[in-house]
Amino acid sequence: MEPASPGTIVTLKDVAAASGVSISTASRALDERIMSRSAAAAHVRKVAEELGYRRNSFASSLRRGETRTLGVLVPRLSDTVMALMFEELERAASSRGYFAMVATSGDDPHDEKRAAETLLDRNIDGLILATARLDDELPRLLRERKVPHALVLRTDGVSPSALGDDEVGGYLAVRHLLDLGHRDIAVVTGPSFTSTGIARLTGARKALEEAGITPREQWFVAAGYGIENGFAAGETLLADERDRPTAIFGANDNIAMGIMAAAHRHNLKIGQDLALVGYNDTPLSARLPTPLTSVRVPLDQIARTAIDLITDPAKEPRVRKSIPTLIPRESSGPPRARG
């Protein structure tokens, strides 16, 4: 069978005629969601390939009332964790026959709502948010409008959510430092408007209380999730050489890297003079001059769960947590004896 001449658009009607079947039969044979294994379907696909037919997925989706497209909203793609999260979401979506498109909000509620409306205007089949704040009204609005959606990494506790168990992660980080013999432990938390910041702090406090240690409130420092926030927090905690913690848990790897820079400025050796644990186990963590102990979150599992929550909305539970793992490295050692 001769392929169509260049510039000629081969239609589904052409494929059906050349295959000797009806248009509806040809359509079913070429539907990637069905992928029939019958001999008739295989024949139609062979004819379509020989003719150079290209299926118009967009038009097909519109006829079905769907676009097979998911919108993903993240605070910023310059954040390594958010970039990795989107890659995993894109991979998980593709495996289900969906295309994922991303927009950023800068962690600003107004920009978040605007970006969400822009994505929804493109007739996406669902919206995935990595931007949820505890004071955020967008998840509530999506629920009221019955928009299929899922929250990832952060949760408001109500909307469908896929995230790591941040309380367990915070506990593991501080329990590790306690097991090494540290008692003077500081915690640099994430923003108070995020479920991640609150849950990781809750887990850290639980580990200290289990060990019979009364937390020193001045050693709990609230910060943003950037390296500069970690540096500022490190300066605060390390300024007084007579009253410094021997170990610090930073609520993400960026915070921990900022603390590393502050420690270097005060001539402290990470892993010897100061033990340090981060969170998220980003690729750079293991490649730092002093490899960083960190809590690893299974982003691939979280991504697959988020897609499940959108494609199978009746499935329970609605908030699903994946268990993190502590990855010990050279940045966390036992405390030095104080003479």
Side-chain angles (χ1 to χ4, degrees):
M1 183 175 298
E2 292 293 326
S5 57
T8 301
I9 297 177
V10 180
T11 66
L12 183 62
K13 183 178 180 181
D14 297 329
V15 174
S19 304
V21 299
S22 68
I23 293 177
S24 60
T25 298
S27 179
R28 286 194 298 272
L30 296 171
D31 192 332
E32 294 177 354
R33 301 174 307 156
I34 301 173
M35 287 305 292
S36 170
R37 296 183 181 181
S38 70
H43 172 65
V44 171
R45 289 194 288 271
K46 184 174 185 294
V47 170
E49 182 179 357
E50 291 174 350
L51 289 175
Y53 171 74
R54 286 183 59 85
R55 183 175 178 81
N56 188 333
S57 298
F58 182 70
S60 300
S61 295
L62 288 178
R63 285 194 296 271
R64 294 193 300 265
E66 59 182 19
T67 60
R68 306 297 289 179
T69 302
L70 300 175
V72 180
L73 189 53
V74 301
R76 55 189 62 82
L77 284 172
S78 58
D79 183 308
T80 303
V81 174
M82 293 299 168
L84 293 172
M85 187 74 257
F86 175 67
E87 287 181 3
E88 292 295 347
L89 286 167
E90 188 177 40
R91 189 174 294 115
S94 179
S95 70
R96 312 289 180 82
Y98 286 87
F99 173 75
M101 58 193 305
V102 68
T104 60
S105 72
D107 244 340
D108 179 277
H110 174 75
D111 289 343
E112 176 197 43
K113 188 175 180 182
R114 175 190 52 77
E117 291 295 344
T118 299
L119 290 170
L120 292 171
D121 285 345
R122 282 156 175 74
N123 296 317
I124 57 175
D125 295 331
L127 185 60
I128 298 173
L129 307 177
T131 52
R133 302 164 56 109
L134 295 176
D135 59 354
D136 188 359
E137 67 171 6
L138 180 58
R140 177 183 60 80
L141 293 174
L142 294 174
R143 292 193 299 270
E144 290 176 355
R145 292 166 58 179
K146 301 190 183 308
V147 174
H149 68 286
L151 313 184
V152 294
L153 298 180
R154 304 177 185 177
T155 182
D156 66 350
V158 182
S159 278
S161 306
L163 62 154
D165 193 321
D166 291 299
E167 185 172 333
V168 169
Y171 177 89
L172 291 174
V174 174
R175 183 72 257 174
H176 171 67
L177 294 171
L178 289 165
D179 290 343
L180 290 170
H182 291 278
R183 293 298 178 265
D184 297 326
I185 301 171
V187 178
V188 182
T189 71
S192 59
F193 60 76
T194 62
S195 62
T196 50
I198 290 176
R200 291 170 197 175
L201 174 59
T202 299
R205 285 186 180 276
K206 182 179 179 182
L208 290 170
E209 289 165 5
E210 277 188 6
I213 296 174
T214 301
R216 297 178 59 173
E217 292 304 320
Q218 66 268 33
W219 282 357
F220 288 94
V221 180
Y225 277 139
I227 292 176
E228 68 282 359
N229 304 117
F231 179 80
E235 285 289 298
T236 298
L237 291 167
L238 303 175
D240 186 354
E241 63 182 64
R242 298 166 299 178
D243 188 32
R244 287 171 174 162
T246 64
I248 302 176
F249 164 45
N252 79 349
D253 287 351
N254 283 341
I255 289 175
M257 290 176 200
I259 293 169
M260 280 185 168
H264 178 74
R265 186 172 180 274
H266 289 278
N267 297 312
L268 299 174
K269 292 185 178 180
I270 296 296
Q272 299 178 33
D273 301 315
L274 179 70
L276 185 62
V277 177
Y279 203 103
N280 287 320
D281 194 35
T282 53
L284 182 59
S285 300
R287 295 170 177 80
L288 293 167
T290 302
L292 178 65
T293 296
S294 189
V295 177
R296 179 177 295 167
V297 181
L299 297 182
D300 55 343
Q301 182 178 333
I302 290 171
R304 291 193 298 270
T305 299
I307 304 300
D308 282 343
L309 287 168
I310 288 180
T311 58
D312 192 0
K315 210 168 186 180
E316 296 291 341
R318 305 302 289 143
V319 177
R320 303 185 203 171
K321 297 179 181 180
S322 300
I323 300 301
T325 307
L326 181 84
I327 309 297
R329 297 192 181 98
E330 296 169 26
S331 72
S332 56
R336 279 185 169 180
R338 292 183 174 179

